[in-house]
Amino acid sequence: MLDTPNEQKTQLSELGEFALINRLTSSIELKNDSSLTGVGDDAAIIDHGKNETLISKDLLIEGVHFDLAYVPLKHLGYKAVVVNISDIYAMNGTPSQVLVGVAVSSRFPVEALDEIYEGMLLACKRYGVDLVGGDTTTSTSGLLLSVTAVGYVKKGEAVKRSGSAPTDLLVVTGDLGAAYMGLQVLEREKVAFKSNPNLQPELQGHEYVLERQLKPEARKDISDLLKSLKVKPSSMIDISDGLSSEIMHLCKGSSLGCTIYEDKIPMDPQMMRLAEEFGINPITAVLNGGEDYELLFTISIEDYDKIKHNPSLTAIGHITEDKPIQLVTKAGQAIELEAQGWTSFQEG
Amino acid sequence: MLDTPNEQKTQLSELGEFALINRLTSSIELKNDSSLTGVGDDAAIIDHGKNETLISKDLLIEGVHFDLAYVPLKHLGYKAVVVNISDIYAMNGTPSQVLVGVAVSSRFPVEALDEIYEGMLLACKRYGVDLVGGDTTTSTSGLLLSVTAVGYVKKGEAVKRSGSAPTDLLVVTGDLGAAYMGLQVLEREKVAFKSNPNLQPELQGHEYVLERQLKPEARKDISDLLKSLKVKPSSMIDISDGLSSEIMHLCKGSSLGCTIYEDKIPMDPQMMRLAEEFGINPITAVLNGGEDYELLFTISIEDYDKIKHNPSLTAIGHITEDKPIQLVTKAGQAIELEAQGWTSFQEG
């Protein structure tokens, strides 16, 4: 498989996602004037005249990112589009097009692809984007979706992962951790169904967390909201891998640290109740769960008054000159956070 | 798996690629003014000011598009980029960026990804494009590459699959069928190696066809060549699935037919010799083999004198008012051509 089979082989599981990305992309140099930014942010920025084009790309793989035992195909198509255009919003941009790649094995009938496309087109309609291309092919096993989202932003208005300054406030939209608890509910019902296929799934009362997991929405509203509040974020990212990883990306982007406060983090009561039921600390769902597709951004401390009463926005901490990225727990203890991202290579 | 499990299920193998794509994309409507064209061409055209942005997307899947028993990973990375930017050239554009998605199972060490990236970056360098983003993730089985290429073209200069007129000439670049014969050689050596692992592969004398299969190049030179000859193609496509499919796309794009002549089709002597050795009719390799990544385009018959002595360009037939797409064999017999594209759902 390798040209040099006798050389040292590092297992992927030894590295983890972020070290691997660094390794693979460190030698990349941008050569075209139009490539304003490349790898290392939610989307690439490309200069094409009066606006800047934004492009993002994500893969969703059966058995890794979703389990068809409990994810309806229409929802899957919807989610595949949403998670990509979320990357465009995270750059302060407006999504305008998507390209979709679908690979399926022969176990899928045509109607399965119909449903996936139906979901993708529903998301396109909801967010005002056009599906402009892609590729459909066979796979030897399972289903794979690859979506590329294209958007635009006025010249100079893209908000990157870098750009924050010491004393900037860290702000999140919505609430966090619910998508992860939705996944726990689905996993529990799957196990119950396996042991007794006649059982009806117990999903009632869990609608919010299930919707957050199965049919997430991207924060289309935040760019306009911030404009109306006259606030310009200094850096921004969407929360796909969990708050912990995303905060690290922002801090790394500006070579700074931060302190966040557990008691400030917005959580939905249904999520907290379920966390208790499952014996999971809610802060763990928030930090490491992911898939919330909320936005995390930094603003100047002088803008705090403009956002403090807005129900969609919550300040959860601040950027610091010092490097540690720390969480102050409800008990007042300061804990240093560690990177997560995927580590599923161990399982595969 | 389906929301409506008791409804009719059409097997993918019943449809074939082109019918499936039609089915999946027929309900798509473009809503944004900037989406100049969407699904149905080599790349989408997006208006972003003074230029038009071109975006294309392709998936390459282990066991479907390549076999790691004989494809070096570096070549695979190179090819994944080349086949995508070939789509940009096929629109008369200039590729400028790529985004790459890589999904791998745990059987791949980090060095395997290094090699894939090395190949991708080599192609980027060769073609002057920047790798600006992507996604790296795990897969439950095998290797998958998903590449999105971005390019640009001066407003109004994109050449689509539609646009040809009756009496237009069909022109191909380079020679055809060699990549397919390269694949036959590799398959033969794989079988020989399986029955006797001590055998050295017999690849000598087959360098040209092997290079065409393992390390194809995109026709970066044709756009400039045509400009210097003062020829503007009326329609254009790259030859990825075999001449037969691509001709059908061009004819369908303009609702016309065509006649091509077997004795006009450019073939390399090494390819023809091997075809004889394998007992394959060379015209079959040309029509159904694919992966040549040459360009097929139509020009006004008035431009024939400008191209007729150019060694890179060969007129192989002409567009007709009548619908049949036919090949006139060396024996003077007229045969109607049929669509190919992938049909690998039967196997998977």
Side-chain angles (χ1 to χ4, degrees), chain A residues 17 58-68 70-71 76 79-80 83 143-145 183 187 213-214 240-241 291 293 342 344 347, chain B residues 102-104 135-140:
Chain A
E17 180 180 8
D58 268 310
L59 295 169
L60 279 89
I61 295 172
E62 185 180 357
V64 178
H65 300 100
F66 58 87
D67 182 339
L68 290 178
Y70 48 70
V71 179
L76 184 66
K79 186 169 175 174
V83 305
L143 172 64
L144 177 137
L145 300 175
L183 185 62
E187 290 280 1
Q213 170 58 229
L214 292 174
S240 54
D241 289 334
E291 300 198 275
Y293 300 105
W342 51 245
S344 47
E347 303 157 19
Chain B
V102 183
V104 286
D135 190 17
T136 306
T137 182
T138 50
S139 81
T140 47

Side-chain angles (χ1 to χ4, degrees), chain B residues 308-327:
Chain B
K308 71 179 175 190
H309 294 306
N310 194 292
S312 297
L313 307 175
T314 312
I316 60 167
H318 55 85
I319 298 292
T320 57
E321 195 95 52
D322 294 333
K323 274 288 171 58
I325 295 166
Q326 60 181 12
L327 170 78

Side-chain angles (χ1 to χ4, degrees), chain A residues 263-274:
Chain A
D263 63 0
K264 304 282 185 204
I265 292 172
M267 303 183 198
D268 181 80
Q270 192 177 98
M271 184 286 266
M272 295 179 77
R273 220 165 38 234
L274 273 166

Side-chain angles (χ1 to χ4, degrees), chain A residues 1-4 7-13 15 17 20-21 23-25 27-40 43-53 55-65 68 71-75 95-97 99-115 117 121 125 128-141 144 146-148 150-152 342-348, chain B residues 1-4 7-13 15 17 20-21 23-25 27-40 43-53 55-65 68 71-75 95-97 99-115 117 121 125 128-141 144 146-148 150-152 342-348:
Chain A
M1 196 172 60
L2 287 164
D3 271 348
T4 47
E7 280 186 25
Q8 189 205 358
K9 285 181 187 171
T10 315
Q11 291 308 305
L12 286 167
S13 52
L15 273 190
E17 180 180 8
L20 177 62
I21 291 172
R23 178 181 172 127
L24 296 176
T25 59
S27 67
I28 296 173
E29 289 172 63
L30 301 184
K31 295 288 172 56
N32 285 293
D33 288 343
S34 63
S35 304
L36 299 181
T37 73
V39 172
I45 307 176
I46 298 167
D47 186 346
H48 282 122
K50 62 183 176 176
N51 285 322
E52 291 169 358
T53 306
I55 304 182
S56 72
K57 189 182 179 72
D58 268 310
L59 295 169
L60 279 89
I61 295 172
E62 185 180 357
V64 178
H65 300 100
L68 290 178
V71 179
L73 290 168
K74 190 174 165 184
H75 284 71
S96 48
Q97 289 87 14
L99 291 90
V100 298
V102 183
V104 288
S105 70
S106 56
R107 80 173 219 262
F108 292 87
V110 175
E111 286 76 10
L113 283 171
D114 287 345
E115 285 187 26
Y117 256 73
L121 290 173
K125 197 174 168 191
V129 307
D130 293 322
L131 198 163
V132 293
D135 190 17
T136 305
T137 182
T138 50
S139 82
T140 47
S141 73
L144 177 137
S146 165
V147 178
T148 300
V150 182
Y152 58 90
W342 51 245
T343 48
S344 47
F345 276 128
Q346 285 106 331
E347 303 157 19
Chain B
M1 196 172 62
L2 287 166
D3 271 349
T4 47
E7 278 184 28
Q8 188 203 2
K9 285 179 188 172
T10 315
Q11 291 307 305
L12 286 168
S13 53
L15 273 191
E17 180 180 9
L20 177 61
I21 291 172
R23 177 182 172 126
L24 296 176
T25 60
S27 67
I28 295 174
E29 289 172 62
L30 302 184
K31 296 286 173 56
N32 286 290
D33 288 343
S34 63
S35 303
L36 299 182
T37 74
V39 172
I45 307 178
I46 298 166
D47 186 347
H48 282 123
K50 61 182 176 175
N51 284 323
E52 291 168 358
T53 305
I55 303 182
S56 72
K57 187 181 181 76
D58 268 311
L59 295 169
L60 279 90
I61 296 173
E62 185 181 356
V64 177
H65 301 99
L68 290 178
V71 179
L73 291 168
K74 191 174 164 183
H75 284 72
S96 49
Q97 288 88 14
L99 291 89
V100 297
V102 183
V104 286
S105 70
S106 58
R107 80 173 217 263
F108 291 87
V110 174
E111 285 76 9
L113 284 171
D114 288 345
E115 285 186 28
Y117 256 74
L121 291 173
K125 198 174 166 189
V129 308
D130 294 321
L131 197 163
V132 294
D135 190 17
T136 306
T137 182
T138 50
S139 81
T140 47
S141 73
L144 177 137
S146 164
V147 178
T148 300
V150 182
Y152 58 89
W342 50 245
T343 49
S344 48
F345 277 128
Q346 286 105 328
E347 304 157 17

Side-chain angles (χ1 to χ4, degrees), chain B residues 219-238:
Chain B
R219 295 305 306 241
K220 184 184 177 157
D221 54 328
I222 298 302
S223 174
D224 284 346
L225 173 63
L226 292 177
K227 265 183 210 115
S228 74
L229 297 172
K230 296 192 169 48
V231 173
K232 200 196 164 188
S234 48
S235 66
M236 185 154 58
I237 193 167
D238 73 330

Side-chain angles (χ1 to χ4, degrees), chain B residues 157-212:
Chain B
E157 298 213 342
V159 178
K160 304 178 201 172
R161 293 184 181 182
S162 59
S164 64
T167 78
D168 275 4
L169 293 177
L170 274 160
V171 180
V172 293
T173 63
D175 58 78
L176 303 179
Y180 180 75
M181 287 318 305
L183 185 63
Q184 302 313 307
V185 171
L186 290 167
E187 291 280 2
R188 179 175 70 183
E189 295 309 313
K190 182 184 165 189
V191 171
F193 180 82
K194 270 189 180 164
S195 64
N196 179 0
N198 295 320
L199 272 184
Q200 282 295 307
E202 280 181 37
L203 304 175
Q204 244 186 351
H206 309 323
E207 288 80 3
Y208 180 68
V209 299
L210 290 170
E211 182 148 342
R212 294 286 280 176

